[in-house]
C-alpha cells in the first residue's frame, strides 16, 4: 500500500524533541493502515524516483511515497532509512538518516519479485537486475511490463531491451539485434564485408560444379554488381596515366618528416594539401546538425588524419609481407594477388583473351581489378564449361572479386577528402547490397546462398540502425582503405546535434580506429573556439611511442592554421560503451571502468 498524498514530508530542521515512547498513530492509505510514532525509523528499499518524489517499500511489504528534496541522491534499489521527527495533524515530518544501511543487489532483486508476487526464475531475476542497473522503477507494474517486452525478443540480451526502452528507441527484432552488436563492439561492417565476399566466391564455385550454365549467369550478375562502383580517386588517376602507371599513386603525403620510434627521420613526401571537411572538422559531406552534406572548408583535423595515415602506412611497410605490394595502390592486381596468383590467372585468361599486352600488365601487377574483371565479364558468354570451371576455381579470380567489392565499400584517405564522399559510399553500398540480395534469393537454399542472404540482410540492418542513431547523434562507421590494409573506424561526435546547432565553436569528437600496425586507438578531440586538445588512448606501447615522437609535427601543422593545440597520451583501458560513453554523455573519452550500479552511495 502507498500513501499517494503529499502528507509525507522531509523536514530535517524541524524543532522539537523526539519522543521514542510516544504512542503510535494510524494513517489510512488506499487499502491499508500505516502505524507509526514519533522517533521511529522507517527502513525500506527505494523502489521509485520521479524528480523529488520518492517511494519507499518497507520491510513488512507496505510502502509510502513522499517529497524529498534530495531524492535524486538516492538510487533505485538502495536501502534507505527515515526517522519520524513529528506527527502533526495529517502530516508526517521526517528526516533522512545519514547512516542508512545498504541492501545488496541480489537481495533487492529477490525482494522486488516477492513483493510483485512473481517467481524467482532466472529470467525474472535478470529483468529486475537490469531495471536496477538502468535506474528504472522496480514496481510490480514496471516489472510486469518489462517481462512482457523482453518476451517479445527471447533471443536478445535482457539489458539491451531494457536499455532501449529507457532510451525511447524504436524497437523491432532487427534494431534490438543491431543495438546489441553495437553495444558489444561486434558491429563492424568491414568484417561483414569480408564474410559476404567470401560467401559470394564460395557460391560461384559450388554452382560451377553443379551447373556451369547457372554459374555463368550468376558470375555475370555478380561482376555487374561489383563493377558498378565509383572508382576511387587513386584508381581514376592511375588509369588516366596509362600506359606507364605510377608506383606512388594513392599514397597521401604528410608534408613533413616523420620520425620512427627511435627518433630517426623518414623521408619527406610532397604535401598534397589539406582535406576538405566541414567547418566542424567532420569528414566531408557530413553536416553535424543534420548528418547530411554541407559546405566544406579546411580543418585542422585533416592534419591529424593525414599524419595517422602516413604513420600507419609506414608501420605497415616495415612488415616483410608488405614488400611486394608496397608500390601498388589497393585496386591494383599487384596489391591484391601474389606473383604466382597473377601468373596462374594470366595462364587461364590466355585461353580466351588474345590481348597479350593486358596479360603482361596482369603479370607485372599494374592492371586494376576493375580492368581484369571487365575483360572476364565480356568473355563469360564464350567460355567453355571447362574454362569457366578453371577460372572460378583459381584463387586469383576470387581475390579480385573480393578486392573489387571492398574497394567500392571502403574509403581511402583521399576519398575522405572528397565532398559527399561518405554519403556516396553508403548510397552505393546500399544499392549494391540490394542487388546482391535480389540475386542471392535464387540460391538461398544452398549453404553458401543462405550465408550471403543472411550477411547481406545484416549489413542492411546495420546501416539502417546507423541511420536511426544519426537522427539524434552524429555517428558514422568509417571502413577505411589504407595502402597496406583495410581498417575499421568509428566517428562519434560527442556533442549532441541540438547543441551543435546552437554553437559550432564547441565540439567533442571521438575517433575510434582498429589497425593491425598501430593497434586500437581512441582519439578524443575537443575544440573550443580556436583551442584544440586531443587525448590518444593507445593499446600498444610501441604505437604510443611512435605517436609521441610525431606529436610536435601535428602541433606545428595545426598551430600554423591559427589554432592552439595540445595533446596527451594514455593507455587504453576499456571498449567504448555506446550508451554511457556516447549517447548519454557529452564529454569524457572512454577510459577506466564505468560504475553503472552502486548501492553504497549513502553509507
Amino acid at each position: 500500500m502507498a500513501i499517494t498524498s503529499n502528507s509525507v514530508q522531509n523536514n530535517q530542521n524541524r524543532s522539537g524533541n523526539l519522543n521514542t515512547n510516544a504512542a503510535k498513530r494510524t494513517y489510512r492509505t488506499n487499502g491499508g493502515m500505516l502505524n507509526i510514532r514519533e522517533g521511529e525509523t522507517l527502513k525500506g528499499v527505494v523502489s521509485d524516483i520521479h524528480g523529488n518524489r520518492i517511494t519507499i517499500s518497507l520491510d513488512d511489504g507496505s510502502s509510502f511515497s513522499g517529497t524529498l528534496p534530495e531524492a535524486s541522491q538516492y538510487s533505485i534499489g538502495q536501502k534507505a532509512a527515515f526517522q519520524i521527527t513529528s506527527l502533526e495533524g495529517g502530516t508526517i515530518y521526517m528526516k533522512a538518516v545519514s547512516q542508512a544501511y545498504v541492501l545488496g543487489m541480489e537481495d533487492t532483486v529477490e525482494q522486488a519479485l516477492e513483493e510483485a508476487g512473481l517467481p524467482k526464475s532466472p529470467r525474472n531475476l535478470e529483468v529486475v537486475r537490469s531495471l536496477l542497473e538502468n535506474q528504472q522503477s522496480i514496481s510490480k507494474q514496471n516489472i510486469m511490463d518489462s517481462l512482457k517486452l523482453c518476451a517479445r525478443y527471447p533471443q536478445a540480451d535482457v539489458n539491451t531491451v531494457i536499455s532501449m526502452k529507457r532510451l525511447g528507441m524504436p524497437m523491432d527484432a532487427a534494431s534490438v539485434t543491431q543495438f546489441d552488436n553495437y553495444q558489444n563492439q561486434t558491429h563492424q561492417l568491414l568484417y561483414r564485408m569480408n564474410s559476404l565476399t567470401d560467401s559470394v566466391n564460395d557460391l560461384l564455385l559450388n554452382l560451377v560444379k553443379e551447373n556451369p550454365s547457372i554459374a555463368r549467369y550468376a558470375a555475370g550478375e555478380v561482376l555487374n554488381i561489383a563493377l558498378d562502383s565509383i572508382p576511387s580517386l587513386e584508381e581514376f588517376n592511375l588509369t588516366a596515366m596509362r600506359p606507364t602507371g605510377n608506383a606512388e599513386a594513392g599514397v597521401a603525403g604528410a608534408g613533413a618528416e616523420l620520425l620512427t620510434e627511435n627518433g630517426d627521420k623518414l623521408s619527406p613526401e610532397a604535401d598534397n594539401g589539406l582535406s576538405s571537411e566541414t567547418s566542424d572538422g567532420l569528414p566531408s559531406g557530413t553536416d553535424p546538425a543534420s548528418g547530411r552534406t554541407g559546405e566544406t572548408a579546411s580543418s585542422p583535423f585533416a592534419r591529424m588524419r593525414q599524419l595517422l595515415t602516413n604513420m600507419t602506412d609506414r608501420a605497415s611497410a616495415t612488415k616483410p609481407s608488405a614488400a611486394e605490394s608496397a608500390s601498388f595502390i589497393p585496386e591494383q592486381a599487384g596489391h591484391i594477388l601474389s606473383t604466382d596468383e597473377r601468373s596462374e590467372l594470366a595462364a587461364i585468361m590466355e585461353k580466351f583473351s588474345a590481348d597479350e599486352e593486358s596479360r603482361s600488365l596482369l603479370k607485372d601487377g599494374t592492371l586494376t581489378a576493375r580492368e581484369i574483371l571487365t575483360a572476364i565479364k565480356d568473355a563469360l558468354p564464350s567460355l567453355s564449361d571447362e574454362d569457366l570451371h578453371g577460372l572460378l576455381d583459381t584463387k586469383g579470380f576470387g581475390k579480385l572479386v573480393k578486392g573489387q567489392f571492398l574497394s567500392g565499400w571502403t574509403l581511402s584517405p583521399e576519398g575522405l577528402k572528397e565532398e559527399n564522399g561518405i554519403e556516396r559510399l553508403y548510397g552505393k553500398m546500399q544499392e549494391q547490397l540490394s542487388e546482391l540480395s535480389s540475386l542471392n534469393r535464387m540460391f538461398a537454399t544452398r549453404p553458401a546462398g543462405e550465408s550471403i542472404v543472411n550477411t547481406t540482410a545484416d549489413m542492411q540492418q546495420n546501416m539502417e540502425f546507423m541511420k536511426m542513431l544519426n537522427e539524434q547523434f552524429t555517428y558514422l562507421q568509417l571502413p577505411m582503405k589504407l595502402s597496406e590494409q583495410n581498417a575499421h573506424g568509428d566517428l562519434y561526435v560527442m556533442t549532441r546535434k541540438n547543441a551543435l546547432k546552437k554553437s559550432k565553436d564547441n565540439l567533442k569528437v571521438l575517433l575510434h580506429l582498429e589497425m593491425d600496425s598501430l593497434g586500437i586507438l581512441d582519439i578524443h578531440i575537443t575544440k573550443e573556439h580556436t583551442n584544440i586538445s586531443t587525448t590518444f588512448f593507445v593499446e600498444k606501447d610501441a604505437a604510443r611511442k611512435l605517436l609521441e615522437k610525431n606529436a610536435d609535427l601535428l602541433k606545428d601543422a595545426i598551430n600554423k592554421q591559427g589554432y592552439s593545440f595540445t595533446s596527451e597520451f594514455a593507455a587504453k583501458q576499456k571498449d567504448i560503451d555506446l550508451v554511457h560513453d556516447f549517447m548519454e554523455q557529452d564529454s569524457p573519452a572512454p577510459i577506466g571502468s564505468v560504475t553503472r550500479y552502486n548501492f553504497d552511495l549513502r553509507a
Side-chain angles (χ1 to χ4, degrees):
M1 55 187 177
I3 299 174
T4 56
S5 70
N6 290 324
S7 61
V8 180
Q9 299 180 9
N10 174 267
N11 189 354
Q12 299 185 37
N13 300 317
R14 186 172 178 81
S15 60
N17 297 324
L18 298 181
N19 183 3
T20 57
N21 295 319
K24 285 194 173 186
R25 298 186 184 182
T26 300
Y27 288 81
R28 291 185 177 277
T29 63
N30 296 331
M33 303 286 186
L34 180 65
N35 298 312
I36 54 176
R37 65 162 67 92
E38 288 183 12
E40 183 177 0
T41 298
L42 300 179
K43 301 178 180 180
V45 178
V46 177
S47 59
D48 200 8
I49 300 173
H50 287 289
N52 291 335
R53 190 81 174 165
I54 188 169
T55 299
I56 309 296
S57 296
L58 303 179
D59 294 341
D60 64 1
S62 62
S63 64
F64 68 91
S65 300
T67 300
L68 188 68
E70 64 268 28
S72 61
Q73 298 179 20
Y74 287 84
S75 300
I76 293 176
Q78 183 178 340
K79 189 70 177 284
F82 299 90
Q83 190 175 52
I84 307 301
T85 60
S86 178
L87 298 172
E88 294 183 3
T91 301
I92 301 173
Y93 295 94
M94 63 183 181
K95 68 177 182 179
V97 179
S98 60
Q99 298 300 318
Y101 58 99
V102 174
L103 187 68
M105 176 188 277
E106 294 308 313
D107 292 333
T108 303
V109 170
E110 292 185 6
Q111 181 173 324
L113 288 174
E114 288 177 2
E115 292 181 1
L118 297 169
K120 299 176 184 178
S121 66
R123 184 74 167 180
N124 289 356
L125 291 168
E126 190 177 6
V127 168
V128 177
R129 194 177 296 117
S130 181
L131 287 171
L132 290 172
E133 289 176 345
N134 280 276
Q135 297 289 293
Q136 298 295 288
S137 168
I138 53 173
S139 65
K140 178 178 180 179
Q141 186 60 50
N142 199 40
I143 293 174
M144 294 293 294
D145 292 342
S146 299
L147 286 171
K148 292 177 182 177
L149 183 62
C150 290
R152 297 181 194 170
Y153 312 103
Q155 305 303 318
D157 181 79
V158 164
N159 197 59
T160 293
V161 177
I162 300 300
S163 295
M164 291 185 73
K165 175 189 175 186
R166 173 171 63 86
L167 294 168
M169 299 180 70
M171 295 176 67
D172 57 26
S175 64
V176 170
T177 298
Q178 294 304 325
F179 184 94
D180 196 45
N181 290 339
Y182 275 70
Q183 183 80 325
N184 294 326
Q185 292 291 300
T186 57
H187 63 291
Q188 295 87 346
L189 279 170
L190 186 63
Y191 305 146
R192 287 163 172 78
M193 294 173 193
N194 281 308
S195 176
L196 176 58
T197 51
D198 286 340
S199 295
V200 167
N201 284 320
D202 289 343
L203 176 63
L204 293 179
L205 188 55
N206 290 335
L207 288 176
V208 78
K209 294 176 181 177
E210 297 176 14
N211 190 319
S213 296
I214 294 178
R216 183 177 286 103
Y217 166 78
E221 292 300 305
V222 166
L223 292 180
N224 280 332
I225 297 170
L227 293 169
D228 182 26
S229 61
I230 303 172
S232 67
L233 183 61
E234 298 88 344
E235 182 184 355
F236 177 83
N237 290 336
L238 176 71
T239 53
M241 291 188 297
R242 290 288 185 226
T244 59
N246 186 349
E248 297 299 324
V251 180
E257 292 177 315
L258 297 178
L259 304 178
T260 66
E261 181 181 330
N262 297 324
D264 301 325
K265 291 183 180 180
L266 293 171
S267 60
E269 298 178 352
D271 187 349
N272 58 8
L274 291 177
S275 65
S276 292
E277 299 186 350
T278 66
S279 57
D280 296 302
L282 301 179
S284 174
T286 304
D287 180 351
S290 66
R292 297 182 179 179
T293 58
E295 295 299 320
T296 61
S298 295
S299 162
F301 298 109
R303 284 291 185 184
M304 183 176 301
R305 186 177 63 227
Q306 193 175 65
L307 182 66
L308 286 170
T309 299
N310 279 270
M311 290 174 62
T312 301
D313 292 344
R314 297 292 189 182
S316 298
T318 62
K319 299 179 181 179
S321 60
E324 183 181 359
S325 62
S327 61
F328 299 103
I329 67 169
E331 287 81 6
Q332 284 181 291
H335 184 278
I336 301 171
L337 306 178
S338 67
T339 301
D340 290 342
E341 289 167 343
R342 298 198 300 268
S343 296
E344 180 187 23
L345 186 58
I348 293 289
M349 292 184 67
E350 188 175 0
K351 298 179 180 180
F352 58 83
S353 173
D355 190 346
E356 184 175 347
E357 182 181 359
S358 292
R359 294 199 303 275
S360 177
L361 291 175
L362 166 58
K363 289 180 182 180
D364 66 28
T366 57
L367 280 186
T368 65
R370 185 185 304 274
E371 291 170 316
I372 300 168
L373 293 177
T374 298
I376 291 175
K377 179 177 74 72
D378 293 341
L380 277 177
S382 60
L383 284 185
S384 67
D385 291 351
E386 181 181 357
D387 288 343
L388 178 65
H389 189 284
L391 174 66
L392 299 185
D393 197 29
T394 61
K395 288 184 179 179
F397 175 80
K399 290 175 73 172
L400 286 175
V401 172
K402 183 184 185 77
Q404 181 61 32
F405 272 118
L406 291 180
S407 176
W409 293 344
T410 53
L411 279 168
S412 68
E414 291 297 323
L416 281 170
K417 299 176 186 180
E418 296 179 39
E419 186 174 357
N420 305 334
I422 294 176
E423 185 177 68
R424 284 201 307 270
L425 169 78
Y426 280 109
K428 178 55 68 174
M429 191 189 305
Q430 191 75 277
E431 180 183 321
Q432 289 179 303
L433 289 175
S434 179
E435 292 173 353
L436 275 176
S437 180
S438 298
L439 172 66
N440 294 321
R441 288 194 192 99
M442 298 171 57
F443 313 107
T445 57
R446 293 171 169 82
E450 182 181 5
S451 174
I452 296 171
V453 170
N454 293 337
T455 306
T456 302
D458 182 54
M459 289 179 65
Q460 291 172 316
Q461 292 165 6
N462 192 316
M463 288 187 284
E464 283 298 316
F465 185 81
M466 200 188 318
K467 181 179 178 181
M468 182 176 71
L469 282 181
N470 264 281
E471 292 177 0
Q472 295 184 26
F473 312 92
T474 298
Y475 165 79
L476 289 169
Q477 284 194 57
L478 299 175
M480 299 181 66
K481 172 174 49 186
L482 304 178
S483 64
E484 293 302 329
Q485 61 177 302
N486 289 330
H488 167 75
D490 292 289
L491 179 72
Y492 301 85
V493 178
M494 311 298 278
T495 310
R496 289 176 181 255
K497 286 187 173 181
N498 55 5
L500 281 171
K501 291 178 181 179
K502 298 176 182 177
S503 173
K504 293 187 177 183
D505 289 328
N506 299 312
L507 181 70
K508 295 176 182 177
V509 174
L510 175 64
L511 180 61
H512 173 82
L513 299 173
E514 298 178 11
M515 296 171 287
D516 291 339
S517 53
L518 296 180
I520 297 177
L521 295 178
D522 287 338
I523 308 170
H524 185 230
I525 308 166
T526 301
K527 176 188 174 188
E528 296 181 353
H529 299 282
T530 59
N531 297 317
I532 295 175
S533 61
T534 61
T535 303
F536 294 83
F537 295 95
V538 190
E539 180 185 45
K540 294 183 178 180
D541 187 56
R544 174 175 176 168
K545 292 178 180 178
L546 187 61
L547 287 165
E548 287 176 334
K549 287 289 184 182
N550 291 277
D552 285 342
L553 297 176
L554 181 61
K555 179 178 179 180
D556 292 342
I558 293 179
N559 286 349
K560 286 179 181 178
Q561 299 179 52
Y563 293 91
S564 174
F565 178 80
T566 59
S567 63
E568 59 180 319
F569 300 84
K572 178 175 171 57
Q573 297 183 1
K574 69 179 286 290
D575 288 331
I576 298 169
D577 187 313
L578 179 72
V579 175
H580 294 85
D581 294 336
F582 176 50
M583 300 178 71
E584 293 187 339
Q585 294 190 25
D586 270 352
S587 53
I591 183 169
S593 60
V594 178
T595 302
R596 302 181 186 179
Y597 184 82
N598 187 349
F599 286 109
D600 202 19
L601 297 176
R602 302 285 296 179

